[in-house]
């Protein structure tokens, strides 16, 4: 608690109160604590998560370790290992061993991959496979698990009545919905939620209650199926918090810009102030290749409205598995959104950075600016790429630099006064 509070505007005692009330979580794991435990929630800095992990087409551990390094260097507060290709147990363990930040995961991917390895389909996963995967991940040191407990038969009936364009777009949600429909059974993660609570208590791990029915396009946003699932998650969250387990609620996704604030307020009301972890949200569907930007636009508005945790989106979203450069760009875009959101919601100290930086800019203190900006390496590269004739300004305006002209005028008026 003390270590997590070191980088926050609250002390450990206040953080403990926030955790007790379910308004914040500390991402860690008692079996394998991360070097940099991280707090997420009300009154704290908005955090950024970077998703990494293999796919069937790119199942290279070394590549994932490079992505982990890129995410941490760029300033991600957490990473999630979403591997679905290669030896995913070994990959997860290596990522946990190398990561300084808390690592999250979606255990049902492993249950699905295990069924596939047996030559079976995901509909042949057993209920025990799904529950055991959660235990395996926590025992390995995963700090937060996404579990799609809110995809119940009742919620799927609501979905059937809807006219969605994209249907279900969450992988975990799809696995469960297919399994439930094929087997004619209730969601095991919902039915056996008390067992999962016991595991989370044992490892001091956090539940990230997944929104399996999050909208996959603007047209599907905030429909009855999404809201119905949120109501189920709210009930489950209450049970977990009453048992002393930390819980975050996951949110969309693709959201029209005018709905973002309402969706954040809805989650905060219905889930009694539980930390809200949003994916983006992306504010337009039509810009593949730029979805780190569409997500940063939505993420800044969401964070300003009260969202606590932003899952980054990379330029490769909807197109391919990201490489390390795309990971770096995704983290930077999400950090900009998180910081802008922190200024918007008045996190102590957030706006001070901008004020201090603006003084450096006004003074044309180039070394200071390149040292204290969000991404010094890129800022330095851009300045070097367009050097001015006069090092005192930049090549945008050269001798017409307004700050230099103002200084010269002040100098003249000082001289004139004397
Ligand atoms: S030259 Fe123009 S853009 Fe560059 S620092 Fe001066 S005012 Fe700003």
């Amino acid at each position: 608690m003390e270590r997590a509070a070191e980088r926050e505007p609250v002390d450990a005692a206040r953080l403990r109160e926030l955790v007790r009330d379910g308004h914040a979580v500390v991402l860690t794991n008692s079996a394998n604590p991360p070097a940099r435990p991280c707090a997420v929630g009300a009154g704290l800095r908005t955090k950024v998560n970077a998703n990494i992990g293999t796919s069937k087409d790119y199942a290279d551990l070394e590549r994932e370790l490079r992505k982990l390094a890129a995410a941490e260097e760029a300033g991600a507060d957490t990473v999630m290992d979403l591997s679905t290709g290669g030896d995913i147990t070994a990959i997860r363990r290596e990522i946990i061993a190398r990561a300084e930040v808390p690592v999250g995961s979606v255990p049902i991917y492993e249950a699905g991959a295990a069924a596939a390895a047996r030559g079976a389909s995901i509909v042949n996963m057993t209920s025990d496979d799904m529950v055991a995967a959660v235990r395996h991940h926590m025992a390995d040191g995963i700090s937060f698990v996404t579990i799609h407990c809110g995809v119940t038969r009742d919620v799927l009936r609501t979905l059937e009545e809807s006219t969605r364009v994209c249907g279900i777009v969450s992988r975990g949600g799809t696995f469960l919905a297919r399994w439930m429909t094929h087997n004619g059974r209730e969601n095991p993660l919902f039915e056996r939620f008390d067992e999962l609570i016991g595991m989370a208590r044992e490892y001091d791990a956090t539940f990230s209650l997944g929104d399996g029915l999050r909208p996959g396009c603007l047209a599907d946003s905030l429909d009855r199926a999404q809201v119905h699932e949120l109501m189920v998650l709210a009930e489950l969250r209450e049970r977990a918090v009453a048992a002393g387990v930390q819980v975050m609620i996951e949110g969309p996704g693709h959201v029209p810009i005018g709905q973002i604030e309402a969706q954040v307020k809805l989650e905060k009301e219905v889930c009694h102030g539980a930390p809200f972890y949003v994916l983006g949200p992306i504010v337009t569907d039509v810009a593949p290749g730029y979805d780190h930007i569409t997500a940063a636009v939505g993420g800044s508005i969401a964070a300003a409205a009260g969202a606590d945790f932003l899952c980054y989106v990379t330029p490769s979203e909807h197109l391919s598995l990201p490489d390390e450069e795309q990971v770096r760009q995704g983290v930077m875009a999400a950090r900009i959104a998180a910081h802008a959101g922190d200024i918007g919601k008045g996190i102590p100290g957030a706006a001070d950075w901008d004020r201090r930086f603006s003084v450096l800019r006004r003074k044309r203190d180039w070394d200071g600016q390149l040292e204290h900006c969000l991404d010094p390496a890129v800022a330095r590269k851009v300045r070097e790429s367009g050097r001015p004739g006069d090092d005192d300004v930049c090549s945008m305006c050269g001798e017409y630099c307004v700050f230099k002209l103002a200084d010269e005028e002040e100098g003249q008026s000082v001289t004139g006064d004397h």
Side-chain angles (χ1 to χ4, degrees), residues 361 364 366 369 383 392-404:
R361 178 169 283 155
R364 286 169 288 124
W366 295 101
Q369 290 179 67
R383 177 155 172 81
D392 204 19
V393 294
C394 84
S395 56
M396 170 78 84
C397 326
E399 63 177 309
Y400 302 119
C401 173
V402 292
F403 297 137
K404 189 165 185 180

Side-chain angles (χ1 to χ4, degrees), residues 70-120:
E72 290 192 332
E73 277 169 33
D77 298 288
T78 65
V79 296
M80 289 188 80
D81 170 29
L82 306 186
S83 292
T84 53
D87 183 344
I88 60 180
T89 303
I91 291 166
R92 177 176 67 253
R93 289 177 179 164
E94 195 59 28
I95 287 173
I96 293 170
R98 302 281 189 102
E100 293 206 344
V101 298
V103 180
S105 69
V106 188
I108 199 164
Y109 295 172
E110 185 162 34
R118 293 195 298 264

Side-chain angles (χ1 to χ4, degrees), residues 26-35 37 96 102-103 135 137-144 198-206 246:
V26 174
L27 302 176
T28 187
N29 178 303
S30 56
N32 197 350
I96 293 170
V103 180
R135 175 172 285 284
H137 283 226
M138 289 185 185
D140 282 346
I142 288 291
S143 294
F144 57 109
M199 293 176 199
R201 279 183 64 95
E202 188 178 337
Y203 292 102
D204 202 8
T206 295
Q246 306 186 98

Side-chain angles (χ1 to χ4, degrees), residues 271-289:
C271 301
H272 302 297
F276 197 28
Y277 177 23
V278 293
L279 174 54
I282 282 170
V283 294
T284 173
D285 302 328
V286 300

